[in-house]
Amino acid sequence: MGETMRRAGRATAQLMTAGGLALLSYLFLALLLFTAVVTVIVVGAGVLPETVLLLRRMAGFKRRRVAAWTGVPVPEAYLPLTGALSGRVRTALADPGTYRDLRWLAAHFGYGWLLAYLALPLWAVGLLVDGVWCGLLRRRAVVLPLIGRLADLDAAWSHALLRPSPDSGDRTRLAERVEELTVTRAGAVAAHGAELRRIERDLHDGTQARLVALSMRVGLARRAYDKDPEAARTLLDDAQNQAEEALTELRQVVRGIHPPILTDRGLVGAVRALAASSGLEVAVCEEGLAEGPRAPAAVEAAAYFVVAEALTNAAKHSGSDHARVELAREPSRLTLSVRDEGRGGAETGSPGAAGGSGLLGIRRRVAALDGTVEVTSPAGGPTVIDVELPCVW
């Protein structure tokens, strides 16, 4: 009897919540009428998206209650209400989820409070009947379990009304995908702009300055050639040294755009060269990349720069002398993992193997190719950067 009453109590709480939500729906209907009027006369069109968001919150609350009662989550599918006011209004009116929630709201206003009301007399009858039938005669309760049936009925009806149709789910996923691609495109544009500024800065502050000094040295040597050949020879030697330094810096700029070693040795050879020059003891493991066709140039370049950035940050911030790079070829993607045994904390802003702007640059570069980045960096280490890049071999 005690267990029966506890179950009936939980069902009653579920029904009372549904009844309260139904009464709140009555007030919300007045808000909907006000929203419709001010939207028709245009001056209050900005109220419509906010009202739809409030409706989504009410429906979301009911979904959570149904999921808590049944153990089965109720999926939701909405178009994102973002952008300018006119676009938000059009989205709110065109979203099938809006009309699905309105249909649920109208129906729940009827059955929500009715089921809650039916639970009250069942308690009065159940305590009397089941008290004798179950408490004294030790038989199975027959009235109080009906309250649980009412809660099941409320959950079943709400689940059927709030569950999105397959086509609306497809449209929502398409809209989310478009929004995701918009964000990644903005990140790619920002990364491209930052790369151009870096190249311009390197050329202006390094190579250009050396070429100007080289031109001055040659001019001075030319003037001194007839009067003081020895001084002219010294100036020409200095000019030659500056020309070599300018060529070295120019090669470094070129490597920052697309490393020639990638073209010559491929991704595995280029990563091994990075590992050798990183200042760490780096173990490089590859699977399936030594044979077969190479990945597209853009994918190889992204993977190369991810490894370069991760090893650079590991050498600077991790405090570890060891790192490991794993490259693997899979049917439709290239995966790589960079791990160091340092102090960790990269995602929390503390010094770590991939913190700060380096991690942001990795994310932007990978997102531009529709890839994914996962960083695991607990305090105390290790730091692991896992990257997946879509690839057609």
Side-chain angles (χ1 to χ4, degrees), residues 30-49 51:
L31 177 60
L32 284 177
L33 180 61
F34 170 76
T35 301
V37 172
V38 297
T39 301
V40 168
I41 62 177
V42 179
V43 295
V47 179
L48 179 61
T51 304

Side-chain angles (χ1 to χ4, degrees), residues 3 17 31 36 73 85 99 105 198 200 202 207 225 232 235 237 272 315 331 387:
E3 179 62 25
T17 303
L31 177 60
L85 176 60
Y99 301 99
L105 187 72
R198 182 192 65 80
E200 180 184 8
D202 290 345
T207 307
Y225 184 76
L235 291 171
D237 291 339
R272 293 189 188 279
V387 175

Side-chain angles (χ1 to χ4, degrees), residues 81-103:
L81 288 178
T82 56
L85 176 60
S86 58
R88 297 174 66 199
V89 171
R90 285 194 298 270
T91 301
L93 293 175
D95 187 6
T98 301
Y99 301 99
R100 181 175 58 250
D101 289 350
L102 286 174
R103 181 185 61 186

Side-chain angles (χ1 to χ4, degrees), residues 254-255 257-271 273 294-302 304-305:
V254 172
R255 291 192 188 98
I257 301 173
H258 185 84
I261 194 172
L262 270 177
T263 305
D264 299 337
R265 300 189 190 178
L267 180 60
V268 176
V271 170
R294 291 176 55 175
V299 175
E300 284 193 341
Y304 176 87
F305 283 115

Side-chain angles (χ1 to χ4, degrees), residues 132 179 209 228 276 313 349 370:
V132 176
E179 185 177 10
D228 190 352
N313 284 312
D370 206 20

